[in-house]
Amino acid sequence: LTVAFIIDLDSDTADKFIQLFGTKGAKRVLCPIPYPESPTRFINCEQVLGLNLMNRGNYYWEVELIDGWVSIGVIAEDFDPREAYSHGRLGRNDSSCCLQWNGQNYVAWFGGFECPIQQPFFHTIGVFLEYSEKALTFYGVKDSKMTCLQQLKVSPSAKGKLDPFQNKINRQFASLFSCKLKPAFFLESVDAHLQIG
């Protein structure tokens, strides 16, 4: 697709129940980690961000789902990490979107709206962010083959009028690209574990 985007996890954003392994691995744990105080640290959601800012061009990265329920997406740089759990989770607000693996199937989330995806499990997820197209595409990657799981993009077709998820995309998704975005990860279950490729 394009040159791979190198992501390093930002330890100053990691919730206290997320253990980091270097700058590429994250796992949700039961015992809180005594991270130092940080104004960018999530305190109500088991989330962590990438250090990297994205604000123009195209970006592609891959994430390996090792265990548990994991969400992968992007979030506006200025999102308040102290938001309540109900509103602070990836995709449950207008400042972020994600692909979630919930143990049974994939679900795309944006603005509190969801779209279940009927595809088998992939250990490796590719994320392709296109600023000029105002599009975010999630791929399942296996044996160098890519399967499109979901593309989030404004589509003025009739489908949007009938589909609440696409209707939400049509109304609000483009405004996300007026922000600087960061890669974002939500480790939902206690055993959740991911590795950035």
Side-chain angles (χ1 to χ4, degrees):
L1 289 170
T2 184
V3 176
F5 183 51
I6 305 301
I7 292 175
D8 291 313
L9 295 173
D10 183 356
S11 61
D12 287 340
T13 65
D15 176 88
K16 63 188 176 188
F17 290 104
I18 292 182
Q19 179 180 1
L20 299 182
F21 300 91
T23 60
K24 304 295 184 187
K27 185 175 184 179
R28 182 165 164 190
V29 293
L30 278 171
C31 297
I33 296 171
Y35 288 125
E37 291 289 320
S38 166
T40 58
R41 190 173 310 289
F42 285 95
I43 61 170
N44 296 314
C45 300
E46 295 78 10
Q47 297 181 152
V48 61
L49 304 183
L51 273 168
N52 327 62
L53 274 177
M54 304 174 289
N55 62 359
R56 63 179 179 272
N58 297 336
Y59 305 84
Y60 178 78
W61 65 97
E62 292 183 351
V63 181
E64 184 181 353
L65 307 183
I66 297 171
D67 204 356
W69 297 18
V70 173
S71 294
I72 302 159
V74 298
I75 194 167
E77 176 196 23
D78 60 358
F79 185 76
D80 184 356
R82 295 160 294 186
E83 281 281 359
Y85 182 80
S86 59
H87 188 255
R89 291 177 293 162
L90 278 182
R92 274 55 166 204
N93 50 69
D94 291 348
S95 298
S96 67
C97 56
C98 70
L99 178 77
Q100 174 198 41
W101 170 254
N102 64 17
Q104 295 184 322
N105 64 298
Y106 290 106
V107 183
W109 284 90
F110 173 65
F113 288 79
E114 60 183 302
C115 176
I117 299 163
Q118 303 306 317
Q119 288 283 356
F121 177 72
F122 289 88
H123 276 289
T124 302
I125 298 297
V127 186
F128 186 40
L129 179 68
E130 301 170 272
Y131 254 84
S132 60
E133 299 294 320
K134 295 182 169 61
L136 180 67
T137 310
F138 296 102
Y139 294 92
V141 183
K142 185 177 182 181
D143 300 328
S144 300
K145 294 179 182 176
M146 303 178 73
T147 301
C148 181
L149 300 176
Q150 182 75 29
Q151 182 176 70
L152 281 63
K153 184 178 180 180
V154 172
S155 172
S157 68
K159 183 187 177 220
K161 297 180 177 66
L162 304 173
D163 176 354
F165 179 78
Q166 186 61 49
N167 192 32
K168 180 68 174 177
I169 294 283
N170 288 350
R171 285 185 288 119
Q172 310 249 201
F173 191 65
S175 64
L176 201 56
F177 289 82
S178 64
C179 308
K180 293 178 180 177
L181 298 175
K182 286 192 165 191
F185 309 91
F186 174 33
L187 288 83
E188 196 166 347
S189 60
V190 169
D191 54 354
H193 190 185
L194 64 82
Q195 181 80 21
I196 298 172

